[in-house]
Amino acid sequence: MSKLSNKVISYIFLFIICICGIGTIKNCSSDLKNKLSNKDLKESIDIIETSIQDNFNGRNSWININGLFQKVVGTTILYNSGDLIVYNDIIKLNNEQIIYSMEYRDNNEINKISRNIEKFEKYLKSKSINLIYTQLPCKIDETDKYNTPIGAHLYANDNSNRLIKNLEEKNISVLDIRKILHEKNINYKKIFFNTDHHWKPEAGLASAGFISDILRKEYGFEINTAKYYNISNYNIKEYKNWFLGSLGKRVGTLYAGVDDFNVITPKFNTNFYFYADTSNGKKYKNGDFANVMLEKANLKKDYFNISTYSTYIGGDYKENIIKNNISDNNKKILLLRDSFSCVMAPYLALGCKELRTIDLRYYKENLIDYINKYNPNVVIIAYSENFWSEWFDFDL
């Protein structure tokens, strides 16, 4: 290629960058106007950097181009991909799904978590409230030794195994969903999204059934599990190529593709009351499953700007109350949850009179005071494997 051709290509590239820069400045100006008031220098720099990243003109196209390039050259670990502090690395598994890095939790942290749970369990027992620690899976099936690329930091199963061992030694009730999946020979690739770290609604329904079966057999809950947790009793509407998960949003639509998304609603009669404490205020609903449990505004096809996963119950709330107006029993459940319960809680609510969920990532009030007022029959801790010690601060 001649020097003249190289110069022409360079000028064209610089021109594109300049145009993008001008567009970025326009986008950032309105975004920064309100955010920078009363901020110190460090906060202002952080806000400006984030605003430039979020408002870069043609940002999503550049993400797609980079993702395509990484796919072509065969990159399996994208180091420091994105702006999240704790989930920086994107890893492509050998089955073509993507996941974020999962760091090792040392034994001191695991021991602290297990002691907190033990103390919590003893307090609940003094109030005649049962506790079930429920371990939800992540995308990494520990029985599949060939799915993880060399160099990937994926310690979720190891962390969970050590925690469960501690809890079982303390005679705390544990329900390990991973074991049930293995016993039923369920393929992880089929129950997790390709471009998101979450599991699919089908998995949420099935796991609500696994929990309800334990509640029925061991805790005296009258639940028609054969009815509520049989997939043949549900309508399934498939939305093809509809969803780009949180991981996919960081590497684009071309690196690992996009996902189908299913909306699963009961064929049988349902009636609920729904309350959620959201960042935008209180939310109240009444009606059947489809009208109460689905946030249909999130079902719009928009790869980069909408979380389709949050179609189920609308996403994460610090507090959520679901009352089943035609329940088979009068039992009350408190579920300490993470985002995996978005697709599990709606189906778990079928098996009790009242389900309340608390997300300790956002709930800052006193949990023990809340439990004393609510007085549930059972407390379920249900976290995916990439848990953090802060999620086990029970105010004791």
Side-chain angles (χ1 to χ4, degrees), residues 233-256:
N233 292 328
Y234 287 80
N235 296 308
I236 303 176
K237 185 170 183 180
E238 184 182 38
Y239 293 80
K240 296 288 291 182
N241 300 321
W242 203 262
F243 175 39
L244 184 65
S246 58
L247 303 170
K249 286 177 170 61
R250 291 160 60 189
V251 295
T253 60
L254 303 175
Y255 181 70

Side-chain angles (χ1 to χ4, degrees), residues 20 37 66 73 113 139 155 169 273 279 296 365:
C20 289
S37 60
N66 178 59
V73 300
I113 291 171
K139 272 183 175 178
Y155 294 101
E169 288 174 353
Y273 162 85
S279 57
K296 294 175 184 176
E365 289 80 7

Side-chain angles (χ1 to χ4, degrees), residues 148-160:
T148 304
I150 295 173
H153 296 283
L154 297 168
Y155 294 101
N157 281 300
D158 180 75
N159 295 334
S160 297

